[in-house]
Amino acid sequence: FTKMGSISFLALCFSTTIMGAMAAGGNGTSPGTRPGEIRVGTLFTFNSTIGRAAKLAIELAVDDVNRNPSVLAGTKLRLLAQDTNCSEFLGTMEALQLMEKQVVAIIGPQSSGIAHVVSHAAKELRVPLLAFAATDPSLSSLEYSYLVRTTQSDHFQMNAVADIIDHYGWREVIAIFVDDDFGRGGIDALGDALAEKRSKISYKAAFPPNADGSAITGLLEKINLLESRVYVVHVNPDSGLTVFSVARSLGMMGDGYVWIASDWLASVVDSTESANPDTMDLIQGAIVLRQHVPESDLKRAFTFRWSNMFRNGKASSSLNTYAFHAYDSVWLLAHAIDQFLHEEQTIDFSDEPILHDPSGSSLHLSALKRFDGGDKLLDKLLLTNFSGVSGQVLFDSDGDLINPAYDILNIGGTGSRRIGFWSNYSGLSVVAPEVSYRNPPNASTSSRQLYSVIWPGETAATPRGWAFPNNGKPLRIGVPYRTSYKEFVSRDDSPDSVQGYCIDVFKAAVDLLPYPVPLSFILFGDGLKNPSYDDLVQRVYENYFDAAVGDITIVTNRTRIVDFTQPYVESGLVIVAPVKETNSSAWAFLKPFTIQMWCVTGAFFLFVGAVVWILEHRLNAEFRGSPRKQLVTICWFSFSTMFFAQKERTVSSLGRFVLIIWLFVVLIINSSYTASLTSILTVEQLSSGIRGLDSLIHTSDPIGYQVGSFAKNYMTEELNIAESRLVSLNNPEDYARALELGPQRGGVAAIVDELPYVELFLSTNCKFKTVGQEFTKSGWGFAFPRDSPLAVDLSTAILRLSENGDLQRIHDKWLPPTGCSSQDSGIGSNRLSLGSFWGLFLISGLACLVALIIFFARILCQYNEYSSSQETVGIPESERSFKRPMRLTSIKDLIAFVDKKEHEVKSVIKQKSISQQQRRSSQVSDGQFMSPA
């Protein structure tokens, strides 16, 4: 309906019931005076699970408000109630009748369907609706601006359901719901919430609002043939138990099933003071949500009051959460009206111009009056903040009650047991929401927890959540019809018609599953050449096959459309090229080191020899002699350290320090050289023109690949190799023939294929070899449709096969060990560069530098003492005190000093010390002799 269209249509439907005279006696008041009475409407089904409790709660609330002098200051609320009798049409008519009676607000409607229609009229006539039971999330939109929801939206409830499903690891659920605004809105919200958890609704089972048992039976029989065993039931309280009754008769309340009910079921259970055993038997093991009402003095007093009335026969229903919200809705309206009267002091109604019919139509649209203060009263409602029996009543910016929370119940025996809570603040928790609000929010997975659950069938083990459909059909397993490398998968005459390594792995994994899996293997391909594996995976995506089993590589484009199990074989693309024996080069001994490494090593030999000569020259006679002899000594000593064969002894501490460090460096260099040379001479026995991926790409030679392999697409799309260079090969014989011919005679320069095939090929063909490194990393897995739970269970089974050694035993059965070396590490990779040794050279160089600094510091000290002693020789004693010591006049003097032997220098310095002692003794004696004078 449009706004006016819906009003005109509804007015036409009940035109015979409208009495225009009622408009004259409205709620209008004169300015400056408070009205003695204000009309408030209620709209719900009196004889319903929610309505029986809500009716009494609203009447109690009106009575409490009218008796409370602190609210409304003497103004009384007059309640005008209308019973919708579970009819959306009748409820819509009665809503308009209430508006005709000039009510300032309507508490209701109970039905989301009625709320959708009536909200348009309420918005036009500015009459707020306080919906205490309409939970459809779509009612929160701006389109329904005059609807104030005084209960929780199903948007939050469905987020709670999605968290429960995610908590137990289920990925697919079946939604059972009533096909009206309430049911559709809630299930749409559930679908959105599940999508955020990477789960989904696999099937939506909807039934009409007034469906009988036979219709529900047919629906449940249909969904029982589906895979998922997790059911979310979102129906009306008055007919919902029929779903569980039918499910029990069909055997769907036993082991392996999961039933999650929204808060309608909690309303049913709570509305009966003593649990009906027949009712409880229907819902054993179900998980139920209930709107959380925090404990408070107001709640306890209200609950006690209600219990007394129920025992005295004044209440026809026990207390449920919707009764709490209905009671607080009256108080919310009373507080808002009180604020409104305090500011406005008047309640007026006026004609709505667009409803005036100048032609005098019999529809009497003019009887509907607009509440002039409706927009301001609406603002007061949304700004009201008070503590009620349901907790704090306060609305957020979106018009929803703050702090949405739910109790999570588990039905068992003759009652229910709370297993946890959910709130949008902390998610799932065993701590009450009002306690969680005191702590920082923590919605991490590790903090989410629930107490144990007794599931249908009286089992504590968490159900798997899915099962094979009970339709007697085995899974259709697509198997590639290979014509080569039949060790992996091939056709045979067994009952399964297939055999091979991949088939045995799959069967072994299926045998580990805790449930039987009927299988039917179907060959895919014509048997003349290997089929396209992309086409095989596509058939799984199209549901032609239920799974694909074989040597199927897990690559990106395939994972976009199907799910794979855990890889059971590691794989990757490698290059196979022909090899031939070659003789070692006469200069092969130079190859372990790069030119830079050779140069730096030679320079350091000479440098260290020179440093040791400097440090030993003054002390060690073996490092003295003619210049020619000393030069030969430096060279001989330097290079003899390479073989630890130096015959010259080092006597100085600094020389020994430098030599120890250098000998350690030489040891490392020698060891590395020996190992590298050995490796190079071994590798040189086999050589190929193709050294790796780069050399393969930069040539223009033909490249072979296996028919059906993803290698072709990888080389053309990822490596940008021209498709004209690629040659398809079907079997190992084609491989060998093409490689032997070579690119010059119509063959190929190399073949790019996956490692498992190459290893099998090389096990009997030692004339070929893999070169370079494996340049992709992937594996083989079994393909299943997206979100298939069987893929997850088989992944676990494959891991168990790997851990217990069965996977290796199956490998050894079908795939013989290779008889040839499969990897060629090039010579270039074995050459040692300076980068591998610069740290050792740095340490040795620093040791030499430190030793030289210490040596020359000592030389300068000795030279200073030596020169001062030489200056005093031949100078009369009477003049020595007047002569300043001579300083260095030429670098030649220092060089000559350095060239002197150590013991000669020390002898001169020692004579100087003795001479100074004699002079001091003489001076003392002269002083004693002169003393008597």
Side-chain angles (χ1 to χ4, degrees):
F1 295 116
T2 61
K3 295 178 183 177
M4 276 309 301
S6 61
I7 294 173
S8 298
F9 171 75
L10 296 174
L12 176 64
C13 294
F14 74 102
S15 59
T16 58
T17 65
I18 293 183
M19 303 298 293
M22 297 183 67
N27 277 334
T29 60
S30 59
T33 62
R34 275 182 174 250
E37 179 182 274
I38 294 178
R39 296 174 183 174
V40 176
T42 63
L43 189 67
F44 55 90
T45 300
F46 295 169
N47 189 25
S48 64
T49 300
I50 294 177
R52 283 189 291 271
K55 184 176 184 298
L56 180 58
I58 292 173
E59 291 172 352
L60 291 175
V62 171
D63 185 58
D64 291 346
V65 169
N66 290 337
R67 289 189 302 166
N68 192 325
S70 64
V71 182
L72 294 179
T75 299
K76 302 296 183 182
L77 295 181
R78 180 184 174 189
L79 194 64
L80 303 178
Q82 293 286 0
D83 186 358
T84 62
N85 289 316
C86 294
S87 171
E88 292 189 1
F89 176 79
L90 183 59
T92 304
M93 301 302 101
E94 292 175 343
L96 293 176
Q97 287 181 355
L98 287 173
M99 295 180 192
E100 179 198 8
K101 297 175 183 178
Q102 297 181 1
V103 295
V104 297
I106 295 176
I107 299 176
Q110 174 183 332
S111 165
S112 296
I114 297 176
H116 275 281
V117 179
V118 174
S119 291
H120 295 295
K123 183 177 181 181
E124 199 66 46
L125 299 177
R126 302 180 186 177
V127 178
L129 302 176
L130 280 69
F132 63 89
T135 57
D136 178 11
S138 63
L139 290 173
S140 298
S141 65
L142 297 177
E143 181 181 6
Y144 309 103
S145 56
Y146 268 75
L147 186 142
V148 180
R149 196 199 310 270
T150 57
T151 187
Q152 299 295 349
S153 168
D154 279 338
H155 165 77
F156 302 108
Q157 180 170 209
M158 294 309 167
N159 274 276
V161 173
D163 277 355
I164 293 172
I165 292 169
D166 182 63
H167 175 75
Y168 291 109
W170 302 314
R171 287 293 170 259
E172 292 187 6
V173 303
I174 293 177
I176 303 173
F177 62 100
V178 58
D179 195 8
D180 59 8
D181 291 323
F182 160 74
R184 289 190 298 271
I187 296 306
D188 288 344
L190 176 62
D192 295 339
L194 288 174
E196 295 180 0
K197 307 294 183 181
R198 299 187 64 184
S199 301
K200 68 177 182 179
I201 300 175
S202 60
Y203 185 77
K204 294 183 178 181
F207 59 86
N210 297 315
D212 56 15
S214 61
I216 296 176
T217 299
L219 185 67
L220 294 187
E221 286 176 343
K222 183 177 181 180
I223 66 175
N224 197 33
L225 297 176
L226 302 178
E227 189 176 79
S228 177
R229 288 291 183 265
V230 181
Y231 305 127
V232 177
V233 185
H234 186 57
V235 296
N236 294 316
D238 300 286
S239 59
L241 287 178
T242 306
V243 175
F244 284 94
S245 177
V246 173
R248 185 182 180 188
S249 66
L250 294 176
M252 299 174 64
M253 294 299 297
D255 189 13
Y257 289 87
V258 177
W259 291 86
I260 302 174
S262 55
D263 62 353
W264 68 267
L265 184 53
S267 299
V268 173
V269 174
D270 293 341
S271 297
T272 305
E273 185 173 14
S274 58
N276 186 338
D278 294 335
T279 299
M280 300 308 293
D281 285 344
L282 297 177
I283 56 178
Q284 290 294 303
I287 292 179
V288 183
L289 276 76
R290 180 176 62 195
Q291 294 189 38
H292 177 68
V293 178
E295 294 296 326
S296 65
D297 293 337
L298 286 174
K299 176 188 175 183
R300 284 188 286 269
F302 185 71
T303 303
F304 179 76
R305 178 184 178 187
W306 191 286
S307 298
N308 287 336
M309 295 179 67
F310 188 84
R311 285 193 296 270
N312 294 330
K314 297 180 180 180
S316 59
S317 169
S318 291
L319 192 59
N320 58 45
T321 55
Y322 287 103
F324 288 114
H325 291 299
Y327 182 87
D328 283 345
S329 297
V330 176
W331 277 96
L332 170 66
L333 180 60
H335 284 295
I337 292 175
D338 187 55
Q339 291 293 323
F340 174 83
L341 293 177
H342 179 73
E343 295 182 5
E344 295 294 323
Q345 298 270 335
T346 181
I347 293 179
D348 291 323
F349 292 83
S350 60
D351 292 333
E352 176 61 52
I354 62 175
L355 297 179
H356 181 64
D357 187 0
S359 63
S361 171
S362 61
L363 295 179
H364 299 292
L365 296 177
S366 59
L368 295 171
K369 301 295 183 179
R370 181 184 65 192
F371 177 26
D372 295 335
D375 53 347
K376 294 183 179 179
L377 179 59
L378 178 65
D379 292 339
K380 300 301 179 184
L381 286 169
L382 294 175
L383 294 175
T384 300
N385 181 7
F386 72 99
S387 295
V389 294
S390 63
Q392 186 179 13
V393 179
L394 177 64
F395 298 94
D396 60 20
S397 58
D398 295 325
D400 294 316
L401 287 174
I402 64 169
N403 301 331
Y406 289 84
D407 298 337
I408 303 174
L409 311 176
N410 180 212
I411 304 297
T414 59
S416 61
R417 180 175 60 93
R418 187 167 56 200
I419 60 173
F421 304 89
W422 179 92
S423 72
N424 68 333
Y425 184 80
S426 60
L428 298 178
S429 176
V430 295
V431 179
E434 53 269 25
V435 177
S436 300
Y437 297 143
R438 305 171 192 165
N439 303 317
N442 184 11
S444 64
T445 304
S446 60
S447 69
R448 299 179 182 180
Q449 53 183 327
L450 296 173
Y451 290 122
S452 60
V453 177
I454 302 299
W455 302 97
E458 298 184 357
T459 176
T462 302
R464 200 169 55 247
W466 69 279
F468 282 102
N470 297 328
N471 51 20
K473 295 181 180 179
L475 292 182
R476 292 171 53 87
I477 308 297
V479 178
Y481 193 174
R482 293 195 59 89
T483 59
S484 62
Y485 296 111
K486 295 183 179 181
E487 291 85 351
F488 295 108
V489 60
S490 63
R491 179 180 180 179
D492 73 342
D493 297 328
S494 66
D496 291 329
S497 72
V498 290
Q499 65 174 0
Y501 169 69
C502 302
I503 302 300
D504 281 5
V505 172
F506 179 72
K507 289 181 178 179
V510 169
D511 289 341
L512 292 177
L513 298 179
Y515 45 85
V517 181
L519 303 174
S520 174
F521 294 100
I522 302 172
L523 291 170
F524 178 76
D526 56 12
L528 301 177
K529 62 179 181 180
N530 294 333
S532 170
Y533 282 52
D534 287 337
D535 292 344
L536 175 59
V537 172
Q538 182 68 26
R539 293 297 183 92
V540 176
Y541 171 71
E542 296 170 353
N543 292 321
Y544 180 81
F545 290 129
D546 297 314
V549 172
D551 47 340
I552 305 171
T553 305
I554 304 172
V555 293
T556 304
N557 65 315
R558 297 172 184 171
T559 58
R560 293 192 180 104
I561 59 176
V562 298
D563 282 347
F564 282 92
T565 62
Q566 168 81 16
Y568 60 92
V569 170
E570 291 186 359
S571 180
L573 292 178
V574 293
I575 301 171
V576 182
V579 293
K580 57 183 179 179
E581 293 188 2
T582 58
N583 296 323
S584 299
S585 169
W587 302 98
F589 68 91
L590 295 175
K591 292 181 179 179
F593 290 161
T594 61
I595 295 177
Q596 185 182 27
M597 180 66 182
W598 278 118
C599 293
V600 172
T601 302
F604 254 83
F605 271 110
L606 295 175
F607 172 67
V608 172
V611 170
V612 173
W613 176 83
I614 292 173
L615 299 175
E616 294 289 323
H617 178 68
R618 302 182 69 217
L619 298 173
N620 196 336
E622 294 181 354
F623 288 87
R624 302 185 67 85
S626 64
R628 179 173 176 273
K629 178 184 176 184
Q630 294 183 57
L631 182 61
V632 171
T633 299
I634 292 174
C635 295
W636 163 253
F637 181 83
S638 300
F639 290 102
S640 63
T641 57
M642 179 182 296
F643 310 102
F644 306 99
Q646 68 279 4
K647 64 179 182 179
E648 293 82 6
R649 295 182 304 104
T650 53
V651 296
S652 68
S653 298
L654 292 176
R656 290 174 178 175
F657 168 70
V658 170
L659 188 59
I660 288 174
I661 294 179
W662 175 244
L663 290 178
F664 174 74
V665 174
V666 170
L667 175 64
I668 300 300
I669 292 176
N670 276 343
S671 302
S672 302
Y673 175 86
T674 303
S676 180
L677 181 61
T678 302
S679 177
I680 288 175
L681 292 177
T682 303
V683 170
E684 280 197 331
Q685 299 304 313
L686 298 170
S687 67
S688 172
I690 302 298
R691 293 295 182 187
L693 182 61
D694 291 338
S695 60
L696 182 67
I697 293 175
H698 294 143
T699 65
S700 59
D701 295 334
I703 304 171
Y705 69 93
Q706 184 181 173
V707 174
S709 171
F710 78 99
K712 177 182 178 182
N713 290 338
Y714 183 86
M715 287 188 285
T716 55
E717 296 174 5
E718 302 295 333
L719 303 180
N720 297 319
I721 297 176
E723 190 171 351
S724 58
R725 292 180 56 193
L726 304 182
V727 179
S728 63
L729 303 171
N730 197 47
N731 52 54
E733 292 75 18
D734 292 344
Y735 281 23
R737 189 181 307 109
L739 289 172
E740 288 173 352
L741 290 175
Q744 306 302 326
R745 295 184 293 168
V748 296
I751 292 174
V752 174
D753 204 353
E754 296 180 69
L755 185 59
Y757 303 120
V758 170
E759 289 179 340
L760 193 58
F761 171 70
L762 293 180
S763 65
T764 56
N765 292 274
C766 295
K767 295 183 294 184
F768 312 107
K769 190 176 182 66
T770 61
V771 294
Q773 301 294 323
E774 188 177 350
F775 54 90
T776 65
K777 289 292 183 181
S778 59
W780 291 354
F782 306 130
F784 288 86
R786 295 302 296 270
D787 300 321
S788 171
L790 188 58
V792 178
D793 286 359
L794 276 178
S795 294
T796 304
I798 290 172
L799 290 176
R800 289 179 58 189
L801 289 176
S802 177
E803 292 169 357
N804 62 25
D806 288 345
L807 198 60
Q808 184 62 44
R809 282 189 287 272
I810 297 173
H811 180 279
D812 296 340
K813 170 186 173 182
W814 287 98
L815 306 177
T818 178
C820 310
S821 176
S822 62
Q823 189 64 36
D824 176 18
S825 56
I827 292 175
S829 63
N830 290 327
R831 301 192 72 182
L832 301 174
S833 64
L834 181 61
S836 303
F837 298 94
W838 69 268
L840 290 172
F841 287 128
L842 177 63
I843 294 173
S844 178
L846 289 175
C848 293
L849 182 62
V850 170
L852 289 175
I853 291 173
I854 296 174
F855 174 78
F856 283 113
R858 290 177 55 196
I859 289 293
L860 290 176
C861 292
Q862 285 184 348
Y863 180 74
N864 190 33
E865 295 180 6
Y866 179 81
S867 59
S868 62
S869 64
Q870 290 292 95
E871 289 171 5
T872 59
V873 177
I875 299 177
E877 186 173 341
S878 60
E879 299 180 4
R880 286 176 185 170
S881 61
F882 302 101
K883 295 292 182 178
R884 299 182 62 185
M886 296 179 62
R887 298 302 179 194
L888 181 64
T889 59
S890 172
I891 194 67
K892 294 174 62 177
D893 296 338
L894 179 59
I895 294 175
F897 174 75
V898 171
D899 191 53
K900 291 180 178 293
K901 294 182 178 180
E902 181 79 11
H903 67 88
E904 295 178 357
V905 174
K906 288 184 177 181
S907 176
V908 172
I909 295 174
K910 183 177 181 181
Q911 290 180 2
K912 173 188 174 184
S913 176
I914 294 173
S915 175
Q916 288 177 346
Q917 291 178 0
Q918 292 176 349
R919 286 198 303 272
R920 283 196 295 269
S921 300
S922 176
Q923 290 174 356
V924 170
S925 300
D926 293 342
Q928 291 175 350
F929 181 76
M930 295 292 294
S931 178

